[in-house]
Amino acid sequence: MRRVDLALIGFGNVARRFVSLLDERRERLASEHQLTCRVAGKATRRTGAEYEGTRCADAFEVIERLGTSSADLRIVVETTTLDVTDGEPAISHVRAGIEAGCHVVTANKGPVAFAYADLHAAARRAGVRFLFEGAVMDGIPIFNLVRGTLPLVDIIGFEGVVNTTTNHIITAVEAGETFEQALAKMQAAGIAEADPSLDVDGWDAAAKTAALANVLMDARVTPRAVRRTGLDASTGDAARAALAEGRRLKLVASARKNAAGALELVVEPRALPEDHLLARLAGSANALILETDLLDRIAITQLSGSLTQTAYGLLTDIIAIARTCPDR
Amino acid sequence: MRRVDLALIGFGNVARRFVSLLDERRERLASEHQLTCRVAGKATRRTGAEYEGTRCADAFEVIERLGTSSADLRIVVETTTLDVTDGEPAISHVRAGIEAGCHVVTANKGPVAFAYADLHAAARRAGVRFLFEGAVMDGIPIFNLVRGTLPLVDIIGFEGVVNTTTNHIITAVEAGETFEQALAKMQAAGIAEADPSLDVDGWDAAAKTAALANVLMDARVTPRAVRRTGLDASTGDAARAALAEGRRLKLVASARKNAAGALELVVEPRALPEDHLLARLAGSANALILETDLLDRIAITQLSGSLTQTAYGLLTDIIAIARTCPDR
């Protein structure tokens, strides 16, 4: 049996569900993966930071203390509230974890969207792993799929619907609601944020596009390199016009090489033909079509999302670390 | 660098493409996976059997000789023509490989459809692996996806379109052709076999259903346990009637537990609503929706199939073996 010590940096809904999921799967973690996991420390904005019951100054001290643990595996679990325009404070937490000699898993897209190449290189040098399955499409394997099951295959492009709020809004305006009505409903249902601009303006999708391009295509970009068009008051007319032509409007995130060999990253509403795999994704469904060199196109679809799925993204990364990393 | 000796049992189109693919990816196999692969022996119906340039009596002697190789990894690559009603001769070849202390990879669905539990247990006892990614949906990861990227997740059912010939036929009869015309065209195009009954009567889909249920749900069944309805002259009317109601007919392969807890395996034409993920799969596309306990439903879609994809299924299994198996 291998002992795993965890430090939870951020303790909102995702981290809480992660902890309860750990508990629900405790026996199978032991019997199938020979792992026994323990939360050694945590840091939250509201209640402060502590490690082994002792008060710490901040998240960075918790991470540093985790680095001194004698457990077989030491893993920072990063789930803070993200500033999607610069990737902080998640990037600093990831970097601190790596520097303390800990593995790091995160559900935040910021670190991979803004600093993947650097963080990946730092983790390699330190002999630890930095994983982030939950950053795109929750717990549905995207990064682990390509890394683990598609060896020798090159990803040459992708196309996806990766933001749920905008997909809900488009479905509602297609049915005749105004953009403002649709958005208000999403906010009332807790699907859209009080400040919905990050979703609506396409920043969330752009950050996921940069993350996918960085990891799957070695792009070394930030979300600012993504040509970005969001939704606005004109979206209702556009969605209904598309429908009248037998097409469906979707906020599509895509990457492809242009004729000159340059990578074009785009987030924009597109009117897709009805038989396009992305055309009929219902409100909370997401999907990603990978264009590959050997296997043509492969799509993976998440038919619904939930907190459990995001929490599972963290758990699957912990198991991936245990599978590939020897004890120190 | 690890030396891999291969014995090719069967040398038709799939095996030939596998060999050329090995050659195309030779450098990356070495640099990314530290593997150097060599075909040490092969057995074909047409030209006989040989190992290291010496004539052998049959496939079994080739396998036995491979078992004496001093290579770091010894892998039987099984691609014989399958009798889908009993899984032979593939099952015997897999068993012989395991008994000779070799790993075995196959693109045939027979062994997993008819004898998965036995072969898996025998491989475990012998300390070797038995893999078969190409058996369902070619090289698209299904088995490796669940095994490698969905730890702690239980598959509680599935629903898919897994046979290409019947999907082509349904698309054609929807457009107004008769069943006989559609079938004749598929045969002329080389998509349907000269004897198309295995596809048309649903046996191929039933074998894949049994394979998926055995591996993903520990079902211990054979294809005979699948309630099977194929296509026939009435399919055209059924497909057009579905279309008139805004539905699409598909030959659906499914597994689910009924109220009494018994596993129900079914292959049958079903009229699916237009927004069902399987409803709009074009002729050569396949897809599988996995129903899970933690992640709701996940779908994986192969937008087109090819010989390269099936050959890749064998290659990915070889890399999976190298990743998890120490040298002898």
Side-chain angles (χ1 to χ4, degrees):
Chain A
M1 195 68 64
R2 301 167 81 189
R3 288 187 308 122
V4 184
D5 271 4
L6 306 171
L8 307 181
I9 308 304
F11 196 60
N13 291 334
V14 170
R16 282 168 213 273
R17 182 65 188 106
F18 167 72
V19 169
S20 66
L21 192 55
L22 266 188
D23 201 52
E24 290 166 22
R25 304 278 152 151
R26 186 164 299 277
E27 285 172 29
R28 288 181 61 182
L29 271 166
S31 63
E32 297 172 21
H33 300 278
Q34 292 73 53
L35 296 177
T36 165
C37 298
R38 187 179 72 105
V39 176
K42 69 185 172 200
T44 76
R45 270 187 310 183
R46 211 175 306 170
T47 60
E50 58 94 13
Y51 189 85
E52 301 278 19
T54 329
R55 203 105 201 125
C56 297
D58 55 16
F60 297 98
E61 190 184 339
V62 174
I63 292 169
E64 208 171 292
R65 297 279 308 270
L66 181 70
T68 66
S69 154
S70 64
D72 300 310
L73 294 167
R74 305 166 303 181
I75 306 179
V76 173
V77 180
E78 213 287 340
T79 60
T80 57
T81 304
L82 182 72
D83 182 337
V84 83
T85 63
D86 68 359
E88 290 292 1
I91 292 174
S92 297
H93 294 148
V94 173
R95 209 180 295 277
I98 292 168
E99 282 168 9
C102 302
H103 304 288
V104 183
V105 305
T106 182
N108 271 324
K109 56 201 148 296
V112 263
F114 284 89
Y116 174 67
D118 274 4
L119 295 172
H120 182 65
R124 276 192 97 104
R125 280 193 304 272
V128 298
R129 295 199 71 184
F130 159 50
L131 295 178
F132 37 78
E133 190 58 72
V136 179
M137 287 174 70
D138 303 326
I140 301 298
I142 297 295
F143 301 113
N144 287 330
L145 174 86
V146 174
R147 202 184 279 125
T149 73
L150 297 175
L152 301 185
V153 170
D154 283 336
I155 306 298
I156 56 183
F158 61 80
E159 189 178 35
V161 167
V162 295
N163 178 272
T164 302
T165 301
T166 49
N167 206 37
H168 271 293
I169 290 175
I170 290 174
T171 308
V173 297
E174 258 181 0
E177 291 183 32
T178 65
F179 178 77
E180 289 73 18
Q181 287 168 335
L183 179 56
K185 259 199 199 166
M186 295 303 124
Q187 288 173 318
I191 294 170
E193 307 286 328
D195 172 6
S197 61
L198 291 179
D199 288 323
V200 169
D201 295 345
W203 270 112
D204 176 80
K208 288 170 177 165
T209 303
L212 290 165
N214 284 341
V215 180
L216 305 182
M217 302 175 74
D218 194 23
R220 294 160 191 263
V221 295
T222 76
R224 283 184 283 275
V226 180
R227 202 178 75 218
R228 183 178 47 78
T229 308
L231 306 187
D232 59 25
S234 74
T235 302
D237 285 345
R240 290 185 292 270
L243 203 56
E245 289 175 6
R247 301 171 85 89
R248 305 294 283 262
L249 196 75
K250 291 289 164 194
L251 189 68
V252 175
S254 70
R256 65 177 201 99
K257 292 235 163 93
N258 65 18
L263 191 61
E264 286 184 349
L265 303 175
V266 181
V267 168
E268 66 184 6
R270 285 186 195 161
L272 303 174
E274 286 261 21
D275 57 357
H276 193 289
L277 191 131
L278 303 176
R280 286 178 168 268
L281 293 176
S284 69
N286 279 190
L288 184 68
I289 303 172
L290 298 171
E291 176 97 28
T292 76
D293 60 341
L294 280 183
L295 303 175
D296 193 6
R297 287 173 301 150
I298 307 174
I300 188 152
T301 306
Q302 171 183 38
L303 288 160
S304 74
S306 71
L307 203 56
T308 299
Q309 300 216 6
T310 313
Y312 178 77
L314 297 167
L315 184 55
T316 192
D317 281 343
I318 286 173
I319 295 171
I321 289 169
R323 278 178 169 168
T324 54
C325 295
D327 296 341
R328 284 170 304 130
Chain B
M1 194 67 65
R2 300 167 82 189
R3 288 187 308 122
V4 183
D5 271 3
L6 306 171
L8 307 181
I9 309 303
F11 196 60
N13 291 335
V14 170
R16 283 169 213 271
R17 181 66 187 105
F18 167 72
V19 169
S20 66
L21 192 55
L22 267 187
D23 201 51
E24 290 166 21
R25 304 279 152 150
R26 186 163 299 277
E27 284 172 28
R28 288 180 61 181
L29 272 165
S31 63
E32 297 172 23
H33 300 279
Q34 292 74 54
L35 296 178
T36 165
C37 298
R38 187 179 73 106
V39 176
K42 70 185 170 198
T44 76
R45 270 189 311 184
R46 210 176 304 169
T47 60
E50 58 94 13
Y51 189 86
E52 302 278 18
T54 328
R55 203 103 201 129
C56 296
D58 55 17
F60 296 98
E61 190 184 338
V62 174
I63 292 169
E64 208 170 292
R65 298 278 308 271
L66 181 70
T68 67
S69 154
S70 64
D72 300 310
L73 293 166
R74 303 166 306 180
I75 307 179
V76 173
V77 181
E78 213 286 340
T79 60
T80 57
T81 304
L82 182 72
D83 183 337
V84 82
T85 63
D86 68 359
E88 290 292 0
I91 293 174
S92 297
H93 294 149
V94 173
R95 208 180 297 276
I98 293 168
E99 283 168 9
C102 301
H103 305 288
V104 183
V105 305
T106 182
N108 270 324
K109 56 201 147 298
V112 260
F114 283 90
Y116 174 66
D118 274 5
L119 295 173
H120 183 65
R124 274 193 97 102
R125 281 193 304 272
V128 297
R129 296 200 70 184
F130 159 49
L131 296 178
F132 37 77
E133 190 57 73
V136 179
M137 286 174 69
D138 304 325
I140 302 297
I142 297 296
F143 301 112
N144 287 331
L145 174 87
V146 174
R147 200 185 280 125
T149 73
L150 297 175
L152 301 184
V153 170
D154 283 335
I155 306 298
I156 55 183
F158 61 80
E159 189 178 36
V161 167
V162 294
N163 178 272
T164 302
T165 301
T166 49
N167 206 37
H168 271 294
I169 290 175
I170 290 174
T171 307
V173 297
E174 259 181 0
E177 291 184 31
T178 66
F179 178 77
E180 290 73 18
Q181 285 167 336
L183 179 56
K185 260 197 196 166
M186 295 303 124
Q187 289 172 316
I191 295 169
E193 306 285 327
D195 172 6
S197 60
L198 292 178
D199 289 323
V200 169
D201 294 346
W203 271 111
D204 176 79
K208 288 169 176 164
T209 303
L212 290 165
N214 285 340
V215 179
L216 305 182
M217 303 175 72
D218 195 23
R220 294 163 191 262
V221 296
T222 75
R224 284 183 284 276
V226 180
R227 202 178 75 218
R228 184 178 48 76
T229 309
L231 306 187
D232 59 26
S234 74
T235 301
D237 285 346
R240 289 184 293 270
L243 203 57
E245 289 175 8
R247 300 172 85 88
R248 306 294 283 262
L249 196 75
K250 291 287 164 194
L251 188 68
V252 175
S254 70
R256 64 177 202 99
K257 292 236 164 90
N258 65 19
L263 190 62
E264 287 184 348
L265 303 174
V266 182
V267 168
E268 66 185 7
R270 284 185 196 161
L272 303 174
E274 286 260 23
D275 58 356
H276 193 290
L277 191 132
L278 302 177
R280 285 176 168 267
L281 293 175
S284 69
N286 280 191
L288 184 68
I289 303 172
L290 298 172
E291 177 97 29
T292 76
D293 60 343
L294 280 183
L295 303 176
D296 193 6
R297 287 173 301 150
I298 307 173
I300 187 152
T301 306
Q302 172 184 36
L303 288 160
S304 74
S306 71
L307 202 56
T308 299
Q309 300 216 6
T310 313
Y312 178 77
L314 298 166
L315 184 55
T316 193
D317 281 343
I318 285 174
I319 295 171
I321 288 169
R323 278 178 170 168
T324 55
C325 295
D327 296 341
R328 286 169 304 129

